[in-house]
Amino acid sequence: MNKQTCDKIKFMLWGLISRIKENRDFIKSINFKFKSGLKVYEGEYEAEESILNFNGRNVKLEVDEVPDFIAGEALNYESLEFILEERGRATILNADNKNVKTRQVDRVDEEMSDHVTSTSKILKREYYVKVGEANELLKEIGILTKDGKIKNDMIRKYNQIDHFVELIDSMIDEISDVDTINILDCACGKSYLTFVLNYYIKEKKKKNCYFIGIDRSKNVIDASRKMARNLGYRNMEFIEGDLNEYKPDRRIDIVISLHACDIATDMALGQAVRVNARAIMCVPCCHRELLSQYRFDELQPILKHGILRARFADLLTDGIRSLLLETQGYRVSVVEYISPLETPKNILIRAVKVADKNHKAIEEYKRLKETLNINPYLERYMNI
């Protein structure tokens, strides 16, 4: 290629280099190949190690030096194809003496197959995280077998996770004005949900994201770290620790919590309030705290039945949680997460920050607290 073409290559590669710097955590591979006649000469650049491999030799090369190297080598060949593959997309630069151009293509796993159609028929819904497209992820978290089929005992889990993605989708759009969406998963457990959201936000929504998972169990944290390494998800960290002691070192945009037991849910909601999270998605688990506290004499003829008293306590607990979030300026909605036929723990609390304080909600909460003789754990995180 002539010098004019090589100068254009260098200029356009500078644009890609800035993208590599900004999105280093999401880079999957950087490959290139030159052609002369029928011969092809391939190379790759390892951004993490700053090593460029070409023609059988490894060269230590900082990312800023790559454009000069490629443009210099291009003088010796007839054409160039340079491919920057990120999670969810690839940018391809093609060059010869006639033209130098770039294009972007969505990255879809080559494992797309009849499983997409058959799965849709079996599970009777349009999935946000689809078998075929997300096979690498779904295999890693145990939803799929090695040959890409959904495990029978994981259909329910797949449904639950995907429905959570459906419910959070519009919330992601509401806060998409930030360069990177930072998400904290409280009492993350095995982190299935976090991995799926990581995939969906980056590879389907094309939005940069960063995830922090925290849990007291060393075993689940170690397992989550291993899965992140296997998937190449470098935009994640997992912390073994106590939610009440944790202080994030970055802005938190969304706090999520799925089936954190009893007051662990309150700890997650309290953490969200403490870091002034812009949005919250929480699916509570068991409810024990208010069952032994609340008193409602007017309903005693009904609540004398233990099962009714327990169920009323469940509703009361999530209702109080929602009201306390409203006191802190959140717009709250409570929806059915999944069918109660699958699990009675099917309530999802969804909240978006819209104001500093809601004084009407504060007064409503104080009256209810006195009427019901309750002292909710969550209140300790609130300035009311």
Side-chain angles (χ1 to χ4, degrees), residues 367-382:
R367 287 197 298 269
L368 275 174
K369 179 181 178 182
E370 183 177 354
T371 300
L372 297 169
N373 190 41
I374 56 176
N375 186 31
Y377 184 88
L378 183 56
E379 184 187 330
R380 68 186 61 194
Y381 300 95
M382 312 294 173

Side-chain angles (χ1 to χ4, degrees), residues 185-195 213-225 227 238-239 256-260:
D185 186 356
C186 297
C188 61
K190 294 182 178 179
S191 307
Y192 295 148
L193 183 59
T194 298
F195 284 106
I214 182 167
D215 199 287
R216 286 183 171 181
S217 169
K218 182 180 186 301
N219 289 339
V220 298
I221 291 299
D222 287 345
S224 295
R225 288 171 178 166
M227 285 194 290
F238 295 96
I239 299 168
I256 63 174
S257 177
L258 181 62
H259 293 156

Side-chain angles (χ1 to χ4, degrees), residues 271-288:
Q271 182 68 246
V273 170
R274 186 158 52 193
V275 301
N276 200 32
R278 295 176 63 185
I280 303 167
M281 292 281 284
C282 173
V283 179
C285 189
C286 54
H287 304 71
R288 290 192 289 265

Side-chain angles (χ1 to χ4, degrees), residues 111-312:
E111 298 178 47
M112 286 289 289
S113 67
D114 293 338
H115 293 314
V116 177
T117 302
S118 61
T119 299
S120 297
K121 288 180 180 178
I122 293 172
L123 304 180
K124 298 179 181 178
R125 59 168 293 175
E126 182 64 29
Y127 280 77
Y128 282 69
V129 178
K130 295 179 173 62
V131 173
E133 292 180 356
N135 275 13
E136 181 184 10
L137 164 72
L138 295 175
K139 287 178 182 179
E140 183 63 36
I141 65 175
I143 300 293
L144 298 184
T145 60
K146 290 183 178 180
D147 58 355
K149 295 181 180 179
I150 296 179
K151 298 176 182 177
N152 289 335
D153 60 346
M154 295 300 286
I155 290 177
R156 177 180 296 180
K157 177 68 72 175
Y158 181 33
N159 275 333
Q160 291 180 8
I161 291 172
D162 195 77
H163 190 46
F164 193 100
V165 174
E166 180 181 358
L167 292 170
I168 203 173
D169 184 59
S170 60
M171 182 180 285
I172 294 166
D173 292 335
E174 280 194 64
I175 64 169
S176 61
D177 56 328
V178 294
D179 292 334
T180 299
I181 298 175
N182 298 315
I183 299 179
L184 174 64
D185 186 356
C186 297
C188 61
K190 294 182 178 179
S191 307
Y192 295 148
L193 183 59
T194 298
F195 284 106
V196 170
L197 284 177
N198 192 337
Y199 163 83
Y200 182 73
I201 294 173
K202 179 57 185 175
E203 301 189 32
K204 303 301 290 184
K205 302 289 282 186
K206 310 299 183 186
K207 188 72 181 175
N208 284 356
C209 50
Y210 191 87
F211 286 82
I212 303 166
I214 182 167
D215 199 287
R216 286 183 171 181
S217 169
K218 182 180 186 301
N219 289 339
V220 298
I221 291 299
D222 287 345
S224 295
R225 288 171 178 166
K226 181 179 178 182
M227 285 194 290
R229 288 194 298 270
N230 291 344
L231 288 166
Y233 285 11
R234 295 185 291 274
N235 61 326
M236 308 184 84
E237 63 176 300
F238 295 96
I239 299 168
E240 178 191 349
D242 190 320
L243 264 175
N244 281 330
E245 297 176 359
Y246 173 66
K247 294 181 180 179
D249 58 2
R250 65 179 65 214
R251 181 196 73 248
I252 299 297
D253 299 302
I254 303 177
V255 169
I256 63 174
S257 177
L258 181 62
H259 293 156
C261 189
D262 198 26
I263 61 169
T265 290
D266 299 297
M267 293 166 66
L269 295 176
Q271 182 68 246
V273 170
R274 186 158 52 193
V275 301
N276 200 32
R278 295 176 63 185
I280 303 167
M281 292 281 284
C282 173
V283 179
C285 189
C286 54
H287 304 71
R288 290 192 289 265
E289 186 202 11
L290 297 188
L291 179 59
S292 60
Q293 290 187 25
Y294 84 92
R295 184 190 70 242
F296 199 177
D297 294 338
E298 289 83 351
L299 289 181
Q300 185 55 31
I302 296 172
L303 299 179
K304 65 184 179 183
H305 302 287
I307 188 170
L308 297 181
R309 179 175 175 81
R311 290 187 179 180
F312 187 81

Side-chain angles (χ1 to χ4, degrees), residues 16 35 38 123 148 180 239 258 315 328:
L16 293 185
K35 287 186 179 180
L38 297 177
L123 304 180
T180 299
I239 299 168
L258 181 62
L315 295 174
Q328 304 305 298

